[in-house]
Amino acid sequence: MKAVVIRTYGGPEVLEIDPSHPDPVPGPDQVVLRVRAASINRLDLLVRAGIPTLKLTLPHILGADAAGEIASVGSDVVDLEVGERVVVNPGISCGECEYCTMGDDPLCVDYRILGEHLPGTYAEHVAVPSRNVARLPSDFAFEAAAAAPLVFMTAWRLLVTRARIRPGEDVLILGAGAGVSTAAIQIAKLAGCTVFVTSSSEAKLQKAKALGADVLINYKEVPWSKAVWELTGKRGVDVVLDHVGSATFKDSVRSLRKGGRLVSPGATSGPLVELDMRYIFWRQLSLIGSTMSSMREFEEVMKLLFMGRLKSVVDRTLPLEEARKAHEVVERGDHFGKVVLRIS
Ligand SMILES: [Zn+2]
């Protein structure tokens, strides 16, 4: 099969087309997908650059998100048929450990993500456990489907399950154009929150507004934590979603009201932060981490996408052969929402 692989770690230039990569064979409880669309996540860029603790067998195929048709099924799979249109939940859990039994799949002792720990979706075919696919409505486009899973499942667990957002709360989402932000804006809005967003780009702020953001803050023009403080009458916001990390953490903490919650699904600018503990105890703040989602949360959020209550935000679609360019776009941060790869 055709696939985009890395044979070494580095920049976008290490992405290579392999025209004759070995085809995956489904295990007894797996299906093989004919991938029609895949999408780029920040995670793919981190894996491509090399994660010190992650030992991969090279060449490796990147990519967590995919939608396509079932091409073959394993011997134990009875509920899915060849040709069905599906979307993939990229989080693979054991289904048996203490955490899986509690329904907390992303805490699984053997939790793995497609394209990170396992061969990914930048390919004509990918093998996944049958319990990791969801059927697509017949009119739901592969591109829109492939753009959704990782960012929507992450934003859903983060805001709904972990931060427990409530109607009427103020939720600040940093970096309006990031995939997870475009999902989070819509989810916070659907939950009845007032949504604050930051960006250095007026165009991105306007696009965030079209998704439902209420308060737009251009941090090129004003220090954003100061703006939040003033806009909330020196109260602060209830929740900050900070996926940026070291560059923003201090201001995120300052932007919170007393008793507020800071939620983090990642740290694109770096993982090490300085924390003044007086904010934590005296202002009684909560620092909440989250990653990916459970099977149930995936189903909940995908249902809302299928109903049209939430929408995938696709910045652009490129052919698989242009995966390198797709990575360059995401690395530069030129995009708003997701960059999708089409696999014909
Ligand atoms: Zn488990």
Side-chain angles (χ1 to χ4, degrees), residues 181-306:
S181 298
T182 58
I185 291 166
Q186 297 178 67
I187 291 167
K189 199 65 197 169
L190 194 63
C193 299
T194 300
V195 178
F196 292 58
V197 291
T198 66
S199 177
S200 59
S201 151
E202 198 53 40
K204 287 187 185 180
L205 288 171
Q206 289 307 319
K207 285 180 183 171
K209 189 178 177 186
L211 288 179
D214 301 285
V215 183
L216 315 177
I217 300 168
N218 189 331
Y219 64 77
K220 242 171 151 180
E221 290 166 8
V222 284
W224 58 269
S225 63
K226 202 165 162 241
V228 169
W229 205 238
E230 279 161 15
L231 288 162
T232 56
K234 298 187 178 171
R235 173 187 183 265
V237 294
D238 299 278
V239 172
V240 177
L241 193 176
D242 184 341
H243 50 79
V244 183
S246 66
T248 51
F249 186 78
K250 216 170 172 180
D251 283 314
S252 290
V253 170
R254 278 191 194 137
S255 302
L256 286 168
R257 71 158 168 88
K258 286 187 169 181
R261 294 97 82 197
L262 191 158
V263 284
S264 164
T268 51
S269 69
L272 297 180
V273 298
E274 199 183 302
L275 176 59
D276 182 339
M277 285 305 291
R278 288 172 297 188
Y279 279 98
I280 298 296
F281 65 78
W282 186 245
R283 299 181 69 84
Q284 302 192 39
L285 305 181
S286 300
L287 190 53
I288 301 171
S290 190
T291 196
M292 304 297 280
S293 84
S294 68
M295 291 282 176
R296 185 184 167 82
E297 288 155 346
F298 172 76
E299 281 162 22
E300 286 169 348
V301 77
M302 290 311 294
K303 183 176 155 196
L304 290 165
L305 278 138
F306 296 158

Side-chain angles (χ1 to χ4, degrees), residues 92-101 104-111 131:
I92 318 270
S93 51
C94 78
E96 291 169 358
C97 73
E98 173 192 356
Y99 301 105
C100 286
T101 310
D104 260 337
D105 305 72
L107 298 179
C108 176
V109 294
D110 189 28
Y111 195 69
R131 69 191 198 106

